[in-house]
Amino acid sequence: MSAYPNYAQPGAQPGFDPAMVTTALELSGYRVVRNLGVVRGIVVRSRNVFATIGASLQTILGGNITLLTQLCEKTRQDAFAMMMQHAAERGANAIISARYDANELMQGVTEVLAYGTAVYVEKI
């Protein structure tokens, strides 16, 4: 698996470049022409019994719990792709102030939210 996964996965609109998503308040080299509002991608996941058992065994050895790391990364990728899709549906070509949030809804069930401000930008 690449250190820089391909976020343009199923659900993301073709042509929405993940490089046009930033946690900053502006996108260097571009000016905001239109603010299109808050966009989000929400994913709710639960651990499966096999991953839970495997992760429990990994905790005995210590270190990175790869099964849970992979689950978390996949969940964030999916939420990110959904956020980009939401922005593209609004006519955006960039997202500024992007953030993640996560909440445990119940034992073993977690919500991951990717959100930001959808904007239409033009090169300066």
Side-chain angles (χ1 to χ4, degrees):
M1 187 157 111
S2 167
Y4 300 99
N6 176 12
Y7 289 106
Q9 297 183 5
Q13 294 288 51
F16 199 108
D17 184 359
M20 298 297 283
V21 179
T22 182
T23 58
L25 299 175
E26 61 185 10
L27 200 55
S28 183
Y30 294 84
R31 69 181 176 91
V32 173
V33 176
R34 272 192 319 262
N35 179 330
L36 301 165
V38 174
V39 290
R40 79 278 178 262
I42 301 169
V43 176
V44 177
R45 286 257 160 79
S46 66
R47 299 182 303 250
N48 69 47
V49 69
F50 300 111
T52 301
I53 292 169
S56 296
L57 293 173
Q58 282 186 318
T59 61
I60 294 169
L61 301 174
N64 186 17
I65 304 171
T66 56
L67 290 169
L68 295 181
T69 300
Q70 290 168 1
L71 178 64
C72 290
E73 181 57 32
K74 174 71 171 117
T75 304
R76 287 185 186 100
Q77 287 176 19
D78 290 348
F80 190 91
M82 289 173 72
M83 177 183 64
M84 288 193 307
Q85 178 182 359
H86 189 200
E89 288 168 357
R90 288 197 170 184
N93 63 353
I95 300 171
I96 58 174
S97 300
R99 304 283 188 267
Y100 286 102
D101 193 13
N103 297 297
E104 186 173 34
L105 300 177
M106 58 189 280
Q107 181 81 29
V109 178
T110 303
E111 166 208 33
V112 173
L113 169 67
Y115 63 98
T117 303
V119 293
Y120 188 85
V121 296
E122 290 180 348
K123 198 141 182 80
I124 296 176

